[in-house]
Amino acid sequence: MSEDEFAELVRDCPVLYHMTTEGSWLSIRRHGLWGTAALLDLFEVEGEARRLVEARRAASVRIRHPEHGGATIRDQKPLAERSLAACLEDGLRPADWYALLNARAFFSLTRARLLRLLNAGSYRAEAHDVIEADTASLVAAHRDRITLCAINSGFAARRAAPRGRSTFLPIADYPYAAWRAKRARGERVVELAVEPGVPDIAAHVRRVVRMRGGREIETLWRRG
């Protein structure tokens, strides 16, 4: 991706969206937004629970720390094990894919993608804290640790998109021109991820809102 192409992406997608469990914002503001592996490290989780990094989570998992309080690690219900195994390339196993996902904190690049997630399955009935981050600000601070993805990497059902080691690409290596020829604005990159997370997420947040489905319930925080 050239610098001009990247500038176009930021103009088209000026806000990054992260959906998290209701009540999570205060902890995230204090400790940062982390992928699963880094969150387990932060909460000093050891033993059998470390298997969360390389195994499918059929349900969300609650973890606690005497100083940090509680945190919820989301389920991975949209990843059907058999479908995932069939679509993996480069000799990857499902455990490898889970490890790749759990090494990153993920953002959607459009509100349409966010709403699709908020209305998926059991999420539709639940309230969620939604973090809206400034794309340009976050990328300027963490560009060297950012990867882009052209698919929903956390979904694998029937006819799942092929995926492998090149699914997550640094900004410079992402084939933006190829996707621009195939997709409309806002769909040329599906996910932006930061490895292992964003420790200073509060510095890049525009707004945090509590939502249920497509409805905003309340504003939790707004940059002045």
Coordinates of all heavy atoms in Angstrom, one line a residue, residues 1-8 143 171:
M1 N 0.8 -1.2 0.0 CA 0.0 0.0 0.0 C 0.9 1.2 0.0 O 1.8 1.4 0.8 CB -0.9 0.0 1.2 CG -1.8 1.2 1.3 SD -2.7 1.3 2.9 CE -3.8 -0.1 2.7
S2 N 0.6 2.1 -0.9 CA 1.4 3.4 -1.0 C 0.9 4.3 0.1 O -0.2 4.2 0.6 CB 1.2 4.0 -2.4 OG -0.1 4.5 -2.6
E3 N 1.6 5.4 0.3 CA 1.2 6.4 1.3 C -0.1 7.1 0.8 O -0.9 7.5 1.6 CB 2.3 7.4 1.5 CG 3.5 6.9 2.3 CD 3.0 6.4 3.7 OE1 2.3 7.1 4.4 OE2 3.4 5.2 4.0
D4 N -0.2 7.3 -0.5 CA -1.4 7.9 -1.0 C -2.6 7.0 -0.8 O -3.7 7.5 -0.5 CB -1.3 8.2 -2.5 CG -0.4 9.4 -2.8 OD1 -0.1 10.2 -1.9 OD2 0.0 9.6 -4.0
E5 N -2.4 5.7 -1.0 CA -3.5 4.8 -0.8 C -3.9 4.7 0.7 O -5.1 4.7 1.0 CB -3.1 3.4 -1.3 CG -3.0 3.3 -2.8 CD -2.4 2.0 -3.3 OE1 -1.6 1.4 -2.4 OE2 -2.6 1.6 -4.4
F6 N -2.9 4.8 1.5 CA -3.1 4.8 3.0 C -3.9 6.0 3.4 O -4.8 6.0 4.2 CB -1.9 4.6 3.8 CG -2.1 4.6 5.2 CD1 -2.8 3.5 5.8 CD2 -1.7 5.6 6.1 CE1 -3.0 3.5 7.2 CE2 -2.0 5.6 7.4 CZ -2.6 4.5 8.0
A7 N -3.5 7.1 2.8 CA -4.2 8.4 3.2 C -5.7 8.3 2.7 O -6.6 8.8 3.4 CB -3.5 9.6 2.5
E8 N -5.9 7.7 1.6 CA -7.3 7.5 1.1 C -8.1 6.6 2.1 O -9.2 6.9 2.4 CB -7.3 6.8 -0.3 CG -8.7 6.5 -0.8 CD -8.6 5.9 -2.2 OE1 -8.4 6.6 -3.1 OE2 -8.9 4.6 -2.3
R143 N 1.9 2.3 14.2 CA 2.0 1.8 12.8 C 2.8 0.6 12.7 O 2.5 -0.4 12.0 CB 2.5 2.9 11.9 CG 2.5 2.5 10.5 CD 2.8 3.7 9.6 NE 2.7 3.3 8.2 CZ 2.3 4.1 7.2 NH1 1.9 5.3 7.5 NH2 2.3 3.7 5.9
I171 N 0.9 -2.6 7.0 CA 0.3 -1.6 6.1 C 1.1 -1.6 4.8 O 0.4 -1.5 3.7 CB 0.3 -0.3 6.8 CG1 -0.6 -0.3 8.0 CG2 0.0 0.8 5.8 CD1 -0.5 1.0 8.9

